[in-house]
Amino acid sequence: MATQRLAAWATSLRPESLPEGVKNAAARSLYNYVGCAIGGSKHPTATKAYDAMTPFFGQPTSTLLGQRRKVDAQHAALINGIASHVHDYDDTHLETIIHPTGPVASALLAFVEYRPKSTAGTEVLCALVAGIEAACKLGLSVWPHHYDIGWHITSSTGSIGAAVAVGKMLELDTEAMAHAIGIAAVQSTGMREMFGSDTKSFHVGRAAQNGLLAAMLASKGFTSSLSALEAKRGWANIVAGGGTPRLDHYIDQLGSIWEIEKNAFKPFPCGIVCHPAIDGCIQLHHELAEKGIKIDDIVKVEEKVHPLVIELTSKRTPSDGLEAKFSVFHGSAVGLLLGKAGPAQYEDSVVRDQAVIFLRDLIDAHSDETLMADETYLTVHLKDGSTLEKHIEHAVGSLEVPMTDQQLIDKFIDQCSAVVGSDKVKGVSDALWRLGDSEDVKQILQGM
Amino acid sequence: MATQRLAAWATSLRPESLPEGVKNAAARSLYNYVGCAIGGSKHPTATKAYDAMTPFFGQPTSTLLGQRRKVDAQHAALINGIASHVHDYDDTHLETIIHPTGPVASALLAFVEYRPKSTAGTEVLCALVAGIEAACKLGLSVWPHHYDIGWHITSSTGSIGAAVAVGKMLELDTEAMAHAIGIAAVQSTGMREMFGSDTKSFHVGRAAQNGLLAAMLASKGFTSSLSALEAKRGWANIVAGGGTPRLDHYIDQLGSIWEIEKNAFKPFPCGIVCHPAIDGCIQLHHELAEKGIKIDDIVKVEEKVHPLVIELTSKRTPSDGLEAKFSVFHGSAVGLLLGKAGPAQYEDSVVRDQAVIFLRDLIDAHSDETLMADETYLTVHLKDGSTLEKHIEHAVGSLEVPMTDQQLIDKFIDQCSAVVGSDKVKGVSDALWRLGDSEDVKQILQGM
C-alpha cells in the first residue's frame, strides 16, 4: 500500500498544518534553489540544452531563471533544473546525498507560471515539502544499495518528487496522485557514471520534466498502477540494487520525521564529500596568512578523509571546471591558495592555473574508515620541517554547522550578482526570501 | 569499449551495404509500425496523452499518424509511440520480447518531418536498422534478468535505439553518437508492473522522446560518458537485474547477425505468449463449423501452454480491452467463438459480452515446461463426451510461420480503414509499402 499511502498523505498535506521548522526549511530550500538556478543559467551545459531544444519550444509561459525570457513549462523545467545543479552548489539531504529541491522546484515553479490562476507562496512551499518528503523517503527506502549500484539518486527519486509537487498544484485526488507517482516511477533517470559530464545536471532537469509530465497525464485520467512502488516488479524492487527496500518503514514516518529539515546547503560548488577538506583548507589559508607563512613554504599537505571522498572525488588532474568538482585536490588547493572555493574558483581558467596546479600536486588524501563523512584531519608540512594541523569535526554546511540565513543570502548575492546585475540582485533576493508571504508567486518570478 | 564500438558501427552503417533480407525486414517493420500507429491513434490512451500535452505543443512539424494533424517532433514521437503500442499489435523480437520498431520509428519519423531537408526512404530504413540492432543487441546483453526483475525491455532499450536512429539522421560523428547513447542510457524507462494500464504504451512513446532528446543534445556538443554502457556504474551493470551483462559478446555480432531479421509481426493485438492458444482456437472455430458442432456444445477447454503464458497473461476476469490483452482466456474465447482476434475483438464491449464471458470461463490453462514458447496443445470437451484436439507447433507470426506480405497488408487495411477511410487506405498502404523507393519520406507522411 506504499504508493497509495504516499499519495494519500501528499494530497492531504495543507500549508497551515506544516510545523514552523518545516516552513522555514522549505523557504530556505526554495531560496537557495533559485540562487543556484540563476547562478548556473549562463553555464555552457544549460546553454547547449537551450540550443538543442529551441526548435521544440511551445507557448512561452514559464521563466528561464536568470535569463529574462520564457519558454513552455516543460522546457523551463528542463533548463532550470540543469542550471540549478550544474555548479554542484545546490542542497543536500545528507542521509541519502539527494539534492532534493532541484527536480521538485524546477517542475513546480514552471507549472505555477503556466497555470492561469495565481498561486500563494504558502501553497508553493507546501507542494515543495510534499515533493521533497516523497523523494527523500523513497530514497531512504532503497538506500544505500540503490546508490551503490550506480543510480544518481537525486534524479531517480526526483521524478517522483516532482510529480507529487505538481500533482498537488493540480489538486489530484488520491487515486490520480497514485497514478502520477506510478507514471513518474517508470521514468528512472540518472546514473553516476555521468558525473563530471553535462549529463549529470541533465538528470535533474529531466527528472523535473518526468514529474511534470506524469502529473499532467494523471490529471487527464491516465492510469498506471496503484502499487507502482511496492509491487513485485515495481519501482522499489527494480531499482533497489540488490538491497531489500524498506518502503513501509519510511512511509510510516511521513509527517512525523520531516526530511526537509535535514536538508543542508552547500557552501562550495562541488561534491559535498570533499567539503570538510575545503573548509579546513580555507581556515588554514587564514591561519597561514595570520602567521605570515607563504604558500611557497608548503612542501606537502596530507588529508585524512572519509572513504567516500576517495571514491567520489579523487580526480588527480582535473582538466576543467566540471571535472574539478570531483577533485578534492582542486578544492583543497583553491581553499588553501585563495581562501575561497566559490563558483569563480571552479572556472576552467582557475583549474588550469599553474599556481593552483602546483599546490594541488602537493596534496595527498588518504582514506580513513574511522572518520565521519563530514570530518577530516589536515596536516600542512612546511619547508622548515614544521607542520600545521587542522581537525574539522563537522564541515560548514553540515547539520551541526548549518549555513546561517546570512550565509545563504551572501551565497545568493555572490552567485547571482553578475547574472541579474548588482543593482537588482538585492531586490530579487528580498522578494524570494519573502516568497512565503506572497499572494502570487508568478509575480515574483516574472522576468527574473 | 562497448559504447564506442556500438557508436562506430552505427555511424558507419550505409544503406547500400545492407543485405537484401535486412532491407526487406526493415521495410516490413516500418510498414507494420505505421499501421499500428494509425490503428491505435483513436485509442483513449493516445487521446488522453494528446489532451494532457496540448498546452506544451511547439511548432507543428510532424504528423500524428492517423490524425491528419501535426505537432512538434517531441510530442509526435510521444503520441505516435503510444498509439503504435496501445493495441499490443506491433512487432516482436522473439528472443527478448522487445517490440523494437515503436520507440525507434516514432522518434525517427518525427525527426524526418521536422528537419528541413528531404530524406530518402533508404536513409530512413538504414537508420531504423541501426536503432533496432542497437536496442536488440543491448537487450540480449542483459536478457533475461533485466526482464525478470521487471524492466519493460522494449522501452528500457528503446531509448537507446531511438537515439542511435536520430543520431544517424543528424550525422553525428562516432564520439557524439557515443554521447547520444549515454544520454539515452540514463533515461531507463518502463516497468512491467504497468502492463494492463495506460502507462505500458506510454513507455514506448517516452522512450522515443528520450532518444530524440539525447541525439539532439549530443548534436550540440552535450557530453555524457564514452563508457556509458559498460562502466562499473553504467547502464548494463545497473539494469542487469543481478545477471552478468554480455555486452561485448553481442556487440561483436553487429553486422553479422541481424536482429531485425528475427523481428516477427503480431497477428493478434495482445501479449505474444498467448498467440499459440489463439491461433489454435481460431483453427478449432473453423473445424467446429465444418463439422456442424455448435459452441453451446462445448463444456470445457483445456490448454497446455508454456509457463510464460501463465506468468504474463493469466488474467481470469479481464474487465476491459486493456486487461484482456493479458488474458489468454479472453483471446482463446474470441478465437473459438468468433474465429477472429483482431482489435475489434478487444473492444471493451466484446470483453464484457456475456457469450464471450461464458465461453471464457470454460477455459483452463496449465503450464507445461516441456513446451516451446510458441507451442500449445488444446483439447475441447463436448457435451457428448467426445473431444477435439489441436497441436500448434509454431504459432502464426512466429519465425517458422511468419506473417506473409499479404497478411501484413491485410492487417494494415483491417486496422487502418476506419481511421483513414476505406477509400484512401489502399493508397496509403501502397505508398508506405514502397517507402524504400521514395526520395522524400516527408511527402509520404504528410497529412496521413
Side-chain angles (χ1 to χ4, degrees):
Chain A
M1 298 289 288
T3 309
Q4 292 180 68
R5 289 177 63 209
L6 173 59
W9 177 82
T11 51
S12 65
L13 194 67
R14 292 283 167 269
E16 54 275 17
S17 60
L18 295 178
E20 280 307 310
V22 170
K23 284 186 207 172
N24 187 42
R28 282 164 54 97
S29 295
L30 194 63
Y31 174 84
N32 180 70
Y33 159 82
V34 175
C36 292
I38 292 174
S41 62
K42 309 288 189 200
H43 191 284
T45 302
T47 306
K48 282 185 272 190
Y50 180 91
D51 291 346
M53 294 297 100
T54 301
F56 304 140
F57 288 163
Q59 286 296 313
T61 60
S62 303
T63 301
L64 291 177
L65 296 165
Q67 300 199 41
R68 291 197 194 91
R69 55 185 163 188
K70 294 182 178 184
V71 295
D72 65 89
Q74 276 284 356
H75 286 104
L78 175 71
I79 296 166
N80 287 334
I82 290 173
S84 77
H85 191 60
V86 73
H87 284 306
D88 274 295
Y89 206 15
D90 44 2
D91 50 359
T92 308
H93 176 255
L94 294 166
E95 287 175 56
T96 55
I97 329 188
I98 289 175
H99 309 293
T101 308
V104 178
S106 299
L108 177 59
L109 295 186
F111 181 83
V112 162
E113 284 197 281
Y114 147 76
R115 75 195 311 207
K117 68 174 178 175
S118 61
T119 314
T122 50
E123 287 178 74
V124 170
L125 294 179
C126 181
L128 180 72
V129 169
I132 286 179
E133 296 302 307
C136 291
K137 293 297 185 195
L138 294 179
L140 285 164
S141 302
V142 293
W143 181 265
H145 294 87
H146 174 76
Y147 190 75
D148 288 347
I149 202 172
W151 288 107
H152 187 191
I153 191 169
T154 293
S155 44
S156 61
T157 64
S159 300
I160 301 171
V164 166
V166 178
K168 279 195 72 66
M169 288 289 109
L170 285 160
E171 298 174 28
L172 299 184
D173 63 21
T174 296
E175 185 169 321
M177 182 68 92
H179 286 305
I181 290 168
I183 303 167
V186 300
Q187 304 173 71
S188 192
T189 293
M191 298 182 179
R192 285 170 58 190
E193 169 61 17
M194 300 302 162
F195 287 10
S197 80
D198 291 327
T199 299
K200 179 173 191 264
S201 36
F202 166 74
H203 295 162
V204 175
R206 191 58 167 170
Q209 287 190 304
N210 292 341
L212 174 55
L213 173 57
M216 293 289 284
L217 286 170
S219 76
K220 296 293 179 185
F222 213 81
T223 59
S224 64
S225 159
L226 298 177
S227 311
L229 299 173
E230 69 273 23
K232 180 181 173 194
R233 293 201 175 89
W235 182 84
N237 286 318
I238 293 178
V239 304
T244 303
R246 300 179 66 197
L247 283 170
D248 286 330
H249 175 77
Y250 287 102
I251 298 289
D252 283 346
Q253 300 173 351
L254 283 166
S256 56
I257 299 176
W258 297 89
E259 299 306 324
I260 198 169
E261 289 194 304
K262 300 186 251 168
N263 195 26
F265 304 99
K266 286 190 180 179
F268 314 118
C270 58
I272 194 163
V273 292
C274 60
H275 287 196
I278 298 173
D279 187 4
C281 284
I282 290 174
Q283 293 189 31
L284 284 166
H285 168 89
H286 294 296
E287 288 179 25
L288 288 166
E290 279 166 24
K291 293 180 178 169
I293 302 169
K294 292 181 191 155
I295 293 294
D296 291 349
D297 292 335
I298 298 174
V299 292
K300 193 162 83 168
V301 180
E302 285 183 302
E303 306 186 340
K304 274 200 290 189
V305 294
H306 186 270
L308 268 179
V309 179
I310 304 297
E311 186 180 332
L312 297 174
T313 62
S314 59
K315 277 200 192 282
R316 198 61 258 193
T317 56
S319 62
D320 59 22
L322 259 184
E323 286 193 1
K325 292 177 181 301
F326 300 92
S327 173
V328 66
F329 308 106
H330 175 78
S332 299
V334 293
L336 211 44
L337 183 66
L338 309 168
K340 285 189 78 172
Q345 287 73 44
Y346 281 85
E347 295 284 336
D348 292 351
S349 59
V350 177
V351 176
R352 294 169 191 153
D353 181 273
Q354 283 308 314
V356 172
I357 290 173
F358 184 81
L359 185 57
R360 187 187 77 197
D361 292 347
L362 299 179
I363 300 170
D364 269 332
H366 304 284
S367 179
D368 184 335
E369 291 184 2
T370 67
L371 296 182
M372 301 295 289
D374 58 346
E375 185 178 16
T376 191
Y377 285 91
L378 308 179
T379 307
V380 175
H381 296 268
L382 300 171
K383 273 182 183 159
D384 63 7
S386 66
T387 59
L388 255 78
E389 312 257 338
K390 174 64 64 182
H391 175 209
I392 298 292
E393 203 174 342
H394 298 291
V396 59
S398 64
L399 288 179
E400 291 78 5
V401 189
M403 295 270 279
T404 62
D405 287 354
Q406 190 56 51
Q407 283 174 322
L408 275 182
I409 292 168
D410 291 345
K411 174 182 168 182
F412 187 101
I413 305 278
D414 179 52
Q415 64 178 329
C416 298
S417 293
V419 179
V420 300
S422 50
D423 52 329
K424 287 184 62 182
V425 72
K426 188 72 175 51
V428 169
S429 166
D430 286 351
L432 285 165
W433 191 259
R434 295 192 312 269
L435 179 139
D437 302 328
S438 168
E439 286 305 310
D440 187 4
V441 170
K442 207 184 291 193
Q443 296 294 333
I444 298 180
L445 298 170
Q446 294 285 350
M448 185 161 277
Chain B
M1 297 289 286
T3 309
Q4 291 181 68
R5 289 176 63 210
L6 173 59
W9 177 82
T11 51
S12 66
L13 193 68
R14 292 283 167 272
E16 55 276 19
S17 60
L18 296 178
E20 279 307 311
V22 171
K23 285 186 207 172
N24 188 42
R28 283 164 52 99
S29 296
L30 194 62
Y31 174 83
N32 180 69
Y33 159 81
V34 176
C36 291
I38 293 174
S41 61
K42 308 289 188 199
H43 191 284
T45 302
T47 307
K48 281 184 272 189
Y50 181 91
D51 291 345
M53 293 298 100
T54 302
F56 304 140
F57 288 162
Q59 285 296 313
T61 60
S62 304
T63 300
L64 291 177
L65 296 166
Q67 299 199 43
R68 289 196 195 92
R69 56 186 162 187
K70 294 182 177 184
V71 295
D72 66 89
Q74 277 283 356
H75 286 104
L78 175 70
I79 295 166
N80 287 333
I82 290 172
S84 77
H85 192 60
V86 74
H87 284 307
D88 274 295
Y89 205 16
D90 44 1
D91 50 359
T92 308
H93 176 256
L94 294 167
E95 286 174 57
T96 55
I97 328 188
I98 288 174
H99 309 294
T101 308
V104 178
S106 299
L108 177 58
L109 295 185
F111 181 84
V112 161
E113 284 196 281
Y114 147 76
R115 75 196 308 207
K117 69 174 179 176
S118 61
T119 313
T122 51
E123 287 179 74
V124 170
L125 294 179
C126 180
L128 180 72
V129 170
I132 287 179
E133 296 303 306
C136 291
K137 293 298 186 195
L138 294 179
L140 285 164
S141 302
V142 293
W143 181 264
H145 294 86
H146 174 77
Y147 190 74
D148 288 346
I149 202 171
W151 289 107
H152 186 190
I153 191 169
T154 293
S155 44
S156 60
T157 64
S159 300
I160 302 172
V164 166
V166 178
K168 279 196 73 66
M169 288 289 109
L170 285 160
E171 298 175 26
L172 299 184
D173 64 22
T174 297
E175 186 170 321
M177 182 68 92
H179 286 306
I181 290 169
I183 303 166
V186 299
Q187 304 172 72
S188 193
T189 293
M191 298 181 178
R192 286 170 58 190
E193 169 62 15
M194 300 302 161
F195 287 9
S197 80
D198 291 328
T199 300
K200 179 173 191 263
S201 35
F202 166 75
H203 295 162
V204 175
R206 191 58 168 169
Q209 288 189 303
N210 291 341
L212 174 55
L213 172 58
M216 293 291 284
L217 285 170
S219 76
K220 296 293 179 185
F222 212 81
T223 59
S224 64
S225 159
L226 298 177
S227 311
L229 299 174
E230 69 273 24
K232 182 182 173 194
R233 293 201 175 87
W235 182 83
N237 286 318
I238 292 177
V239 304
T244 304
R246 300 180 66 198
L247 283 169
D248 286 330
H249 175 77
Y250 287 102
I251 299 289
D252 284 346
Q253 300 173 351
L254 282 167
S256 56
I257 298 176
W258 297 88
E259 300 307 323
I260 198 170
E261 289 194 305
K262 299 186 252 168
N263 195 27
F265 305 99
K266 286 189 180 180
F268 314 119
C270 59
I272 195 162
V273 293
C274 59
H275 287 195
I278 297 173
D279 187 4
C281 283
I282 290 174
Q283 293 188 33
L284 283 166
H285 168 90
H286 294 297
E287 288 179 26
L288 288 166
E290 279 166 24
K291 292 180 179 167
I293 301 168
K294 291 181 193 156
I295 294 295
D296 292 348
D297 292 336
I298 297 174
V299 293
K300 192 163 84 168
V301 180
E302 286 182 301
E303 306 186 339
K304 275 200 289 188
V305 294
H306 186 268
L308 269 179
V309 180
I310 304 297
E311 186 179 332
L312 297 174
T313 63
S314 59
K315 277 200 192 281
R316 197 61 257 191
T317 55
S319 62
D320 58 21
L322 259 184
E323 286 193 1
K325 292 176 181 304
F326 300 93
S327 173
V328 67
F329 309 106
H330 175 78
S332 300
V334 293
L336 210 45
L337 183 66
L338 308 169
K340 285 187 79 172
Q345 287 74 44
Y346 282 83
E347 295 283 338
D348 292 350
S349 59
V350 177
V351 176
R352 294 168 191 155
D353 181 272
Q354 283 307 315
V356 171
I357 291 173
F358 184 83
L359 186 56
R360 187 187 77 196
D361 292 346
L362 298 180
I363 300 170
D364 269 332
H366 305 284
S367 179
D368 184 335
E369 291 185 1
T370 67
L371 295 181
M372 302 294 290
D374 58 346
E375 187 179 14
T376 192
Y377 285 91
L378 308 179
T379 307
V380 175
H381 297 267
L382 300 171
K383 274 182 183 161
D384 62 6
S386 67
T387 59
L388 255 76
E389 311 257 338
K390 175 63 65 180
H391 175 212
I392 298 292
E393 202 173 344
H394 298 290
V396 60
S398 64
L399 288 178
E400 291 78 5
V401 188
M403 295 271 278
T404 63
D405 287 353
Q406 190 55 51
Q407 284 174 321
L408 276 182
I409 292 169
D410 290 346
K411 175 182 169 182
F412 187 100
I413 304 279
D414 179 51
Q415 64 179 328
C416 297
S417 293
V419 179
V420 301
S422 50
D423 52 327
K424 288 183 61 183
V425 71
K426 187 73 174 49
V428 169
S429 166
D430 286 350
L432 285 164
W433 191 258
R434 295 192 312 269
L435 178 140
D437 302 328
S438 168
E439 286 306 309
D440 187 4
V441 170
K442 206 183 292 193
Q443 297 294 332
I444 298 180
L445 298 171
Q446 295 283 350
M448 184 160 278

